Amino acid sequence: MVRAGRLIDEGEVELGGRIPVNVSGGLLSKGHPLGATGIANIYEVCTHLRGEAGERQVENAKIGMTHVIGSRKCMRNSYTRKSIVFYASWCCK
């Protein structure tokens, strides 16, 4: 079992790490745009899959995932380079 703290301490989730997470700085770096958070996440993942993320590009990005929880709904999306949006699930609390 891998512990999240160890992944962070060892740099595994940084740009260039084994499992890069929030390489743009996440939603806080965008001013946490509330209702636009889902779109901001989708845009970020798609730019990596297209190879258009510039200095924060995750090399050879093939799969991306976003997860947004707000109000009474949550949305989870997975993406691949071949079909940008192939899976989406909605759940209501």
Side-chain angles (χ1 to χ4, degrees), residues 39-73:
I39 297 299
N41 289 339
I42 292 168
Y43 173 80
E44 181 67 21
V45 168
C46 290
T47 58
H48 287 278
L49 294 175
R50 293 178 178 152
E52 301 171 353
E55 292 179 3
R56 66 184 189 285
Q57 178 66 46
V58 173
E59 280 194 48
N60 301 312
K62 295 178 182 146
I63 298 171
M65 181 176 176
T66 66
H67 186 229
V68 178
I69 298 174
S71 182
R72 295 183 179 167
K73 295 182 180 177

Side-chain angles (χ1 to χ4, degrees), residues 70-89:
S71 182
R72 295 183 179 167
K73 295 182 180 177
C74 75
M75 183 174 79
R76 187 176 46 234
N77 297 299
S78 300
Y79 312 91
T80 65
R81 198 180 317 175
K82 290 184 179 177
S83 71
I84 293 296
V85 178
F86 76 86
Y87 169 81
S89 81

